[in-house]
Amino acid sequence: MGAETSGSEPALRELVREAETSLLECKVCFERFGHRQQRRPRNLPCGHVVCLACVAALAHPRTLALECPFCRRACRGCDTSDCLPVLHLLELLGSALRPAPAAHRSAPCGPGTLICHHAFGGWGTLVNPTGLALCPKTGRVVVVHDGERRVKIFDSGGGCAHQFGEKGDAAQDVKYPLDVTVTNDCHVVVTDAGDRSIKVFDFFGQIKLIIGGQFSLPWGVDITSQNGVVVTDAEAGSLHLLEVDFLEGVLRRTERLQAHLCSPRCVAVSWLTGAIAVLERPLALGIGVCSTTVKVFSASMQLIGQVDTFGLSLFFPSKITASAVTFDHQGNVIVADTSSQAVLCLGKPEEFPVLKPIITHGLSHPVALTFTKENSLLVLDSAAHSVKVYKVDWG
């Protein structure tokens, strides 16, 4: 009996950590709910829950009008009410909870696992973000989102350093950004679904080049070690390499690397091997049906690895819906999974699939991934409107 009790304790601790991250944390400010006035969980009329401090911050000072930060349903601050289930859960768990500042750091403990070190952004700073990149030279983080200025640049500590890319209909404006990358010489490349173009800015936000009329729907974008731009065309089912003179703002050459892909979305380039990973997401065949495929090509564009949702289901107990792909510094393929709100390592392409979960807690809807030079993993969580920074826990 004692052995059974002892064996259940780690599972109970994991359950408490999961509840703390998923249920007991305000997804606007990332602070844990509590019984104190400003930390009390408040129900919005739409059913979403935020803390009272965020209700006050979001509401108009005179009219008290506000929009839900998640679904944008309009209401007033006085229409909110205490969320009794969350308050009762706080009482039930009691002392099992850790102190508030560490709430969002929950993750499986153990040598070599990834834990959330900190997060930045949040509703208002970021609005429904879609793409994430790291500047190779400065280490600054670039995010594209649905705000009035579509491109936001953060310093290494998560502070907003600069923003540009006005929301508008002018040629240089960014209408609906899907993805972003940063070149070796600090130029920002954005795929814009609004006018089906690729837009190149310098790091200060000055437009350098607009590539339009060549793509049906440019989606994923990444940079090679030789400063070439790799981009997917989701509607045409193709993968392209662009050679650009960034200083002059001139497109020198376009090469189609692959055709007959099935709705390719995300793309990632391994700086170790030159391999290119493409995430295909075919149109759903029915309600609730969604399949994804990860294909990896060598630098010479030979298919060296492939795995799809069905193949992964043979190795993993739950369905996997890949939403983002990247390479780590060892050449392993890393994917984000929106079905289980996790990040998984698929191994090297020639070993597919060697499935290892590396993040299983603290994510809501991961849509983009990238590694820093220090081997931290940045995860763009669209539902939390934030970037979460994961580091290795060496115990």
Side-chain angles (χ1 to χ4, degrees):
M1 187 66 150
E4 291 180 7
T5 303
S6 174
S8 67
E9 286 180 359
L12 181 59
R13 285 196 297 270
E14 288 299 319
L15 181 61
V16 171
R17 280 194 288 267
E18 178 67 24
E20 189 176 9
T21 301
S22 301
L23 301 176
L24 302 182
E25 179 185 87
C26 175
K27 297 303 181 183
V28 176
C29 65
F30 305 112
E31 294 289 342
R32 203 185 75 201
F33 293 125
H35 291 280
R36 291 187 298 109
Q37 187 70 9
Q38 294 300 304
R39 300 260 55 85
R40 290 182 75 82
R42 300 289 289 181
N43 281 315
L44 302 183
C46 58
H48 290 110
V49 181
V50 300
C51 69
L52 182 59
C54 288
V55 170
L58 292 168
H60 189 279
R62 291 197 308 274
T63 66
L64 300 183
L66 62 92
E67 283 186 348
C68 171
F70 308 108
C71 68
R72 298 192 176 183
R73 178 174 166 180
C75 66
R76 299 176 68 212
C78 56
D79 297 332
T80 66
S81 59
D82 276 345
C83 182
L84 296 181
V86 172
L87 288 170
H88 291 161
L89 187 57
L90 283 166
E91 291 180 359
L92 181 65
L93 293 177
S95 60
L97 295 175
R98 296 190 303 275
H104 65 271
R105 300 189 180 199
S106 63
C109 292
T113 61
L114 291 176
I115 62 169
C116 188
H117 185 264
H118 68 280
F120 58 88
W123 174 261
T125 301
L126 293 174
V127 182
N128 303 324
T130 55
L132 169 73
L134 198 69
C135 178
K137 185 174 290 186
T138 67
R140 291 193 166 185
V141 179
V142 182
V143 179
V144 289
H145 70 132
D146 198 27
E148 287 299 320
R149 294 185 178 180
R150 305 300 212 184
V151 183
K152 208 144 206 175
I153 299 177
F154 297 89
D155 60 32
S156 57
C160 181
H162 187 45
Q163 54 185 336
F164 58 86
E166 297 291 337
K167 174 183 179 180
D169 295 323
Q172 72 274 13
D173 292 339
V174 181
K175 296 172 177 59
Y176 190 81
L178 292 177
D179 201 6
V180 64
T181 192
V182 184
T183 68
N184 301 331
D185 50 2
C186 301
H187 286 85
V188 179
V189 183
V190 178
T191 51
D192 189 345
D195 57 6
R196 300 171 185 254
S197 70
I198 295 172
K199 290 167 181 169
V200 180
F201 301 86
D202 65 23
F203 212 60
F204 301 101
Q206 296 298 311
I207 190 73
K208 298 288 290 186
L209 177 65
I210 300 173
I211 306 171
Q214 300 191 32
F215 303 100
S216 299
L217 182 59
W219 197 296
V221 64
D222 202 4
I223 203 77
T224 71
S225 58
Q226 292 79 35
N227 225 28
V229 178
V230 177
V231 60
T232 61
D233 190 326
E235 283 190 1
S238 54
L239 177 69
H240 302 263
L241 174 64
L242 311 181
E243 291 184 7
V244 179
D245 185 331
F246 292 101
L247 293 178
E248 297 295 329
V250 176
L251 175 64
R252 297 295 187 192
R253 189 171 74 92
T254 302
E255 178 184 357
R256 187 170 66 179
L257 300 178
Q258 286 290 325
H260 312 298
L261 297 173
C262 192
S263 189
R265 304 271 184 104
C266 301
V267 64
V269 180
S270 170
W271 282 37
L272 178 68
T273 65
I276 298 176
V278 178
L279 176 60
E280 296 180 319
R281 188 158 184 166
L283 294 175
L285 300 176
I287 297 175
V289 178
C290 183
S291 176
T292 54
T293 302
V294 178
K295 291 181 177 178
V296 184
F297 301 92
S298 67
S300 59
M301 295 315 297
Q302 299 299 310
L303 183 65
I304 57 174
Q306 175 175 329
V307 67
D308 60 13
T309 295
F310 176 75
L312 290 173
S313 69
L314 302 178
F315 298 87
F316 203 65
S318 60
K319 178 184 175 182
I320 293 175
T321 305
S323 57
V325 63
T326 193
F327 289 93
D328 67 11
H329 295 314
Q330 289 73 47
N332 294 299
V333 178
I334 311 295
V335 297
D337 172 26
T338 53
S339 293
S340 59
Q341 297 87 45
V343 176
L344 312 170
C345 176
L346 302 183
K348 293 180 171 60
E350 59 272 16
E351 303 169 348
F352 269 7
V354 181
L355 195 62
K356 177 188 176 184
I358 57 175
I359 299 174
T360 58
H361 293 68
L363 296 174
S364 301
H365 193 79
V367 296
L369 306 166
T370 192
F371 279 91
T372 68
K373 290 180 179 179
E374 296 77 24
N375 213 29
S376 297
L377 177 59
L378 307 185
V379 183
L380 183 63
D381 192 334
S382 183
H385 312 279
S386 64
V387 177
K388 297 179 179 178
V389 183
Y390 286 83
K391 297 188 177 184
V392 175
D393 175 21
W394 296 109

